[in-house]
Each structure stands twice: as C-alpha cells, then as structure tokens.
Amino acid sequence: MAANKTKPTKAGVAGFIAALTDETKRADAKALVKLMQTKSGEKPQMWGPSIIGFGSYHYKYESGREGDAPLVAFSPRKAASVLYLGLGDGGSKALLAKLGKHTMSKGCLSIKRLADVDEDILEKIVARSVTAAREKHWG
C-alpha cells in the first residue's frame, strides 16, 4: 500500500508565506494562519511542500490504509486558497450558505480572496471543523 505523501515537514511556515509572490495571497495566508491557530489552539506546521496544517490526528480506513492528517489546514494555491476541513453534519450547510463566494467539494473549501467571504462565518466553520475532527478521531 502506498504511503501518504502529505506529511509534516521541518520547512518554515513564515518562509513559505513570505515566498508567495501575490500580495493578496500572502495577506490572506497570514490571516488564515491566525484564524486557524486561534480556533485550533495548535501551531502552524508545513505538511508537504504547500499545505499549512494545525494539529494532527491518526486515521485508519476499513481498507487498512492509515496515516496522519492535520485537524484543519489550507494551501494558498494560484487559483484559490483551499481549506481542508472535516465539517461533519453540525449545521455546516447553513453556515456555508451565508459564507459568500466559495466552492466546496468533499472536505475542501476554495476561496479566491478572503475579502469575498464573511470572516465571522468562516471562523465558525473552522471552529466546527476542529470540533468535528476532534470528536471523530479523539473520541
């Protein structure tokens, strides 16, 4: 079975963000670090070359595949910032309806610019995601 490619690294988060060439992406990344660190209570860490994650949990699927993943994470990609969230069923659809311009697929929330969304709603979504991940994986 193939090993999980996305693992924590020793790379520096601040250096990764500083290297972002788009000023808006850089400012959004700094704001997302602050938001996710506050809501998770965890320090940011690079996962692979381009994902900034907070905390971690161990998962194991029925197939036997297992590994570690961050509680919440994001990646400032060229087209949009992608937030990796485990939203669960706790009213997230209602919050997403109020969020603003975004796209959603499985556990990935894509936002072109933070200015396009209601940051108070985003904070609630991230907080719910952290709670859902902890309940599911930590019991």
Side-chain angles (χ1 to χ4, degrees):
M1 187 168 297
N4 190 350
K5 294 178 187 174
T6 306
K7 296 180 180 178
T9 71
K10 300 281 186 203
V13 172
F16 172 73
I17 292 173
L20 296 172
T21 56
D22 182 291
E23 193 173 317
T24 301
K25 286 266 182 255
R26 198 167 43 252
D28 285 358
K30 288 177 183 178
L32 285 169
V33 164
K34 185 176 178 182
L35 185 157
M36 289 187 170
Q37 186 170 1
T38 299
K39 295 302 173 188
S40 70
E42 303 283 348
K43 293 185 182 213
Q45 181 175 19
M46 294 301 301
W47 285 68
S50 63
I51 296 174
I52 301 171
F54 301 80
S56 68
Y57 64 88
H58 189 78
Y59 63 85
K60 186 171 184 177
Y61 298 131
E62 288 181 20
S63 66
R65 181 182 174 135
E66 63 182 298
D68 297 304
L71 288 173
V72 289
F74 76 96
S75 181
R77 296 187 181 163
K78 186 175 182 179
S81 289
V82 177
L83 285 66
Y84 301 97
L85 307 168
L87 296 175
D89 298 326
S92 298
K93 287 183 182 177
L95 285 172
L96 288 169
K98 298 176 188 175
L99 181 59
K101 287 176 68 173
H102 73 281
T103 57
M104 187 80 196
S105 62
K106 294 191 180 187
C108 298
L109 173 67
S110 296
I111 299 170
K112 288 191 182 210
R113 297 176 309 153
L114 279 182
D116 292 340
V117 299
D118 183 323
E119 289 190 49
D120 290 335
I121 299 294
L122 184 59
E123 284 184 25
K124 290 177 183 175
I125 290 169
V126 170
R128 282 184 185 224
S129 179
V130 169
T131 299
R134 285 186 170 139
E135 287 175 353
K136 181 176 181 179
H137 299 286
W138 294 359

